[in-house]
Amino acid sequence: MVYEPLNPSFAEEIRRSFARQTIMALIGAELTRVDPGLIEITLPYRTDLTQQHGYLHAGVVTTIADSACGYAAYSLMPAGTEVLSVEFKINLLRPAKGERFLARAEVIKPGRMLTVVRADVFGISEGKERELVATMQGTMICLRP
Amino acid sequence: MVYEPLNPSFAEEIRRSFARQTIMALIGAELTRVDPGLIEITLPYRTDLTQQHGYLHAGVVTTIADSACGYAAYSLMPAGTEVLSVEFKINLLRPAKGERFLARAEVIKPGRMLTVVRADVFGISEGKERELVATMQGTMICLRP
Amino acid sequence: MVYEPLNPSFAEEIRRSFARQTIMALIGAELTRVDPGLIEITLPYRTDLTQQHGYLHAGVVTTIADSACGYAAYSLMPAGTEVLSVEFKINLLRPAKGERFLARAEVIKPGRMLTVVRADVFGISEGKERELVATMQGTMICLRP
Amino acid sequence: MVYEPLNPSFAEEIRRSFARQTIMALIGAELTRVDPGLIEITLPYRTDLTQQHGYLHAGVVTTIADSACGYAAYSLMPAGTEVLSVEFKINLLRPAKGERFLARAEVIKPGRMLTVVRADVFGISEGKERELVATMQGTMICLRP
């Protein structure tokens, strides 16, 4: 889908907001794509981000998917607003293996107040096809001052 | 609900498994209650765990809720099995404010293969009533060797 | 939880609205309890409401749970507003067997705009304990004119 | 995605199973496409299928989406098995208006036991573009005798 952003400086504001999400620095996540209605966040695997079997913890998978969803929604919101997650649901499709992970979020239905977003999280390893490890469907809210 | 555990050493195995979840150490989460079908995880607030407004990031809220759900399910599984998250859905009810956070998970419906679990996450501050900041409903799977 | 309704005639308006939900008459559902933040809908089993094995279809289970959630939320909304379902998630815990079914919805978190609600659906047979067949967690929105 | 069915007579079995879902006849739903991993169900609007404002009730939207998801998963399961819904989550994106409705489900991740499926429900009116009214993400289970 092609969306027309309402806020001409959406990309800068998303980068600025992402930089204030301190958890992103803690886990080593980076904002790697910012387009209207489409956000990508990349996270290299680290041994201190895992569950009991050494795979990326579902909560970390969710953390990058949720931020990607939030900013995908935010990219279509007017200037001067804020975004918060209302709810999301995630299916963990495979063990989260990979050298790095990519969360890609796309807006399904923008709204004045509520925006519905989907995110896929892929595991990526050199010389291998990317694998879909999780898929999220969520609702984001636009807060006006 | 009162459940009879199938695995007499469920509590030790949960503690051991939790200790292998490296993300728990990274964010500072502790396993503070282990009962059959009921798990609590506690997390002190830290400024490096936040989203853009300084509240606990929804992904961190989810991380402790998901681990609590997984171990609540695991506490009722037979010895020699493993637990994984199939899916969960979380509603973020309020900004996640507090000096610390408590995720409490309880099994709703145990099963041979699939167990359905609910978790509430509370924000706690001295001298204040605890506030429900999120509620999760999820499905955990029992993997047999 | 005990809630104080904002709309003194919430019960009549819910009954009136329920009577306009034509699908309720088609499937034979009745509104059997209307309290602030708590709604019950009852549905007798019928052989024309089933899935392929003769159990109540998950969609019918969902239909009564969703209406119960909507009216539980609506019972706490101000006069002159409307309620719509934003989203819900349901876990089907057991085959939906029973002579009749009871959907009970309770508000978890009321809000000016968004209200989060949970519903349990029970299968009931004479001389047997009621069985929890499904549990729903959803978000309802208050529309102002 | 292109999937190779394990059961050569999947299409006949789905049609036979659908015919036993008595709720489909009650609401007037028809199975209009059966392909490996992809199912469509069509439902003409009727005034006895509505919520309080005259739109298709969210439970009816869910009913056709859930059956489409179940059969999309079932189309990839081996002969001699059964399918049941484990859980699903649906976002209601717009009021369900239309002369008829189309639920299209596609398998995202098939599995030996659990299959994850997505369904979109569209509202269709003559001379108008189809409108996405809801989107579902769910988990189906394969039961072996």
Side-chain angles (χ1 to χ4, degrees):
Chain A
M1 282 262 231
V2 178
Y3 294 109
E4 199 59 50
L6 297 171
N7 179 358
S9 57
F10 77 92
E12 295 141 65
E13 291 192 20
I14 287 173
R15 289 181 197 288
R16 205 156 35 220
S17 178
F18 185 88
R20 287 199 307 266
Q21 291 206 334
T22 58
I23 182 70
M24 294 297 142
L26 183 70
I27 63 174
E30 278 179 76
L31 185 62
T32 45
R33 185 168 169 191
V34 180
D35 277 322
L38 196 165
I39 296 288
E40 291 181 3
I41 293 175
T42 303
L43 177 75
Y45 177 81
R46 272 183 5 205
T47 55
D48 60 350
L49 301 176
T50 78
Q51 40 83 287
Q52 68 275 22
H53 310 106
Y55 305 129
L56 202 70
H57 191 283
V60 181
V61 171
T62 300
T63 299
I64 59 172
D66 171 51
S67 276
C69 283
Y71 290 123
Y74 193 45
S75 71
L76 303 181
M77 293 178 183
T81 60
E82 297 288 345
V83 65
L84 282 179
S85 300
V86 169
E87 61 82 31
F88 51 77
K89 185 258 208 269
I90 189 164
N91 280 77
L92 292 321
L93 303 173
R94 292 179 179 86
K97 292 186 213 176
E99 294 165 13
R100 59 189 198 281
F101 298 90
L102 174 72
R104 172 187 295 144
E106 287 186 77
V107 169
I108 297 173
K109 165 74 172 60
R112 218 187 81 80
M113 199 152 58
L114 299 179
T115 293
V116 177
V117 187
R118 176 164 297 143
D120 288 329
V121 182
F122 299 94
I124 300 171
S125 300
E126 294 314 320
K128 286 201 181 166
E129 235 189 311
R130 57 173 57 177
E131 254 197 346
L132 184 64
V133 299
T135 189
M136 175 184 278
Q137 185 174 310
T139 310
M140 304 289 140
I141 192 166
C142 176
L143 299 180
R144 287 148 205 277
Chain B
M1 283 259 232
V2 178
Y3 294 109
E4 199 59 49
L6 298 171
N7 179 357
S9 57
F10 77 91
E12 295 140 66
E13 291 192 20
I14 286 173
R15 290 181 198 286
R16 204 155 36 219
S17 177
F18 185 89
R20 287 200 307 267
Q21 290 205 334
T22 57
I23 181 71
M24 294 297 142
L26 183 70
I27 63 175
E30 277 180 76
L31 186 62
T32 45
R33 184 170 170 190
V34 180
D35 278 323
L38 196 163
I39 296 289
E40 291 182 3
I41 293 175
T42 303
L43 177 76
Y45 177 82
R46 275 187 0 210
T47 54
D48 60 351
L49 302 176
T50 78
Q51 38 83 286
Q52 68 276 21
H53 311 107
Y55 305 130
L56 202 69
H57 191 283
V60 180
V61 171
T62 299
T63 298
I64 58 172
D66 172 50
S67 276
C69 283
Y71 290 124
Y74 193 46
S75 71
L76 304 180
M77 292 179 184
T81 59
E82 297 287 345
V83 65
L84 282 179
S85 300
V86 169
E87 61 83 29
F88 50 77
K89 184 257 207 269
I90 190 164
N91 280 77
L92 292 321
L93 304 172
R94 290 179 180 88
K97 293 185 212 175
E99 294 164 13
R100 60 188 197 283
F101 298 90
L102 174 72
R104 173 187 294 145
E106 287 188 78
V107 169
I108 296 173
K109 165 72 173 60
R112 219 187 82 80
M113 199 151 59
L114 299 179
T115 293
V116 176
V117 188
R118 177 164 297 143
D120 287 330
V121 182
F122 300 93
I124 300 170
S125 300
E126 294 314 319
K128 285 201 181 166
E129 236 190 309
R130 57 174 56 179
E131 254 197 345
L132 183 64
V133 299
T135 189
M136 175 184 280
Q137 185 174 312
T139 310
M140 304 289 140
I141 193 167
C142 176
L143 299 180
R144 287 146 205 279
Chain C
M1 283 261 229
V2 178
Y3 295 109
E4 199 57 49
L6 297 171
N7 179 357
S9 57
F10 76 94
E12 296 141 65
E13 291 192 20
I14 287 172
R15 290 180 198 287
R16 203 154 38 217
S17 178
F18 185 89
R20 286 200 308 266
Q21 291 206 333
T22 58
I23 181 70
M24 295 296 142
L26 183 70
I27 63 175
E30 278 180 76
L31 185 63
T32 45
R33 184 168 170 192
V34 180
D35 278 321
L38 196 164
I39 296 289
E40 290 181 4
I41 293 175
T42 303
L43 177 76
Y45 176 82
R46 272 183 7 204
T47 55
D48 60 350
L49 303 176
T50 78
Q51 40 82 285
Q52 67 275 23
H53 311 107
Y55 304 130
L56 201 70
H57 191 284
V60 181
V61 172
T62 299
T63 298
I64 58 172
D66 172 51
S67 276
C69 283
Y71 289 124
Y74 193 45
S75 71
L76 303 181
M77 293 178 183
T81 60
E82 297 288 343
V83 65
L84 281 179
S85 300
V86 170
E87 60 83 30
F88 51 77
K89 185 257 208 270
I90 190 164
N91 280 77
L92 293 321
L93 304 172
R94 291 179 179 85
K97 292 185 212 175
E99 293 165 14
R100 60 189 197 282
F101 298 90
L102 174 71
R104 172 187 296 145
E106 286 187 79
V107 169
I108 297 173
K109 165 72 173 62
R112 219 187 81 81
M113 199 152 57
L114 299 179
T115 292
V116 177
V117 188
R118 176 164 297 143
D120 287 329
V121 182
F122 300 94
I124 299 171
S125 299
E126 293 315 319
K128 285 202 182 164
E129 234 189 311
R130 56 173 58 178
E131 254 197 345
L132 184 64
V133 299
T135 189
M136 176 185 277
Q137 185 175 311
T139 310
M140 304 289 140
I141 193 166
C142 176
L143 298 180
R144 286 146 205 279
Chain D
M1 283 261 232
V2 178
Y3 293 109
E4 198 59 49
L6 297 170
N7 179 358
S9 57
F10 77 93
E12 295 141 63
E13 291 192 20
I14 286 172
R15 290 182 197 287
R16 204 155 36 219
S17 178
F18 185 89
R20 287 200 307 266
Q21 290 206 333
T22 58
I23 181 71
M24 294 298 142
L26 183 70
I27 62 175
E30 277 180 76
L31 186 62
T32 44
R33 183 169 171 191
V34 180
D35 277 321
L38 196 164
I39 295 290
E40 291 181 3
I41 292 175
T42 303
L43 177 75
Y45 176 83
R46 274 184 4 207
T47 55
D48 60 351
L49 302 176
T50 78
Q51 39 84 285
Q52 68 276 21
H53 311 106
Y55 304 130
L56 202 68
H57 191 283
V60 181
V61 172
T62 300
T63 298
I64 57 171
D66 172 51
S67 276
C69 284
Y71 290 124
Y74 193 45
S75 71
L76 304 182
M77 293 179 184
T81 59
E82 296 288 346
V83 66
L84 282 179
S85 300
V86 169
E87 60 83 30
F88 51 77
K89 185 257 207 267
I90 190 164
N91 280 78
L92 293 321
L93 304 172
R94 291 180 180 85
K97 294 185 210 174
E99 294 164 13
R100 61 189 195 282
F101 298 89
L102 173 72
R104 172 187 294 145
E106 286 188 78
V107 169
I108 296 173
K109 165 72 173 59
R112 219 187 81 81
M113 201 152 57
L114 299 179
T115 293
V116 176
V117 187
R118 178 164 296 144
D120 287 329
V121 182
F122 300 94
I124 301 171
S125 299
E126 295 314 321
K128 285 202 182 163
E129 236 190 312
R130 57 173 57 177
E131 254 198 344
L132 183 64
V133 299
T135 189
M136 175 184 280
Q137 185 174 311
T139 309
M140 304 289 141
I141 192 166
C142 176
L143 298 180
R144 287 148 204 277

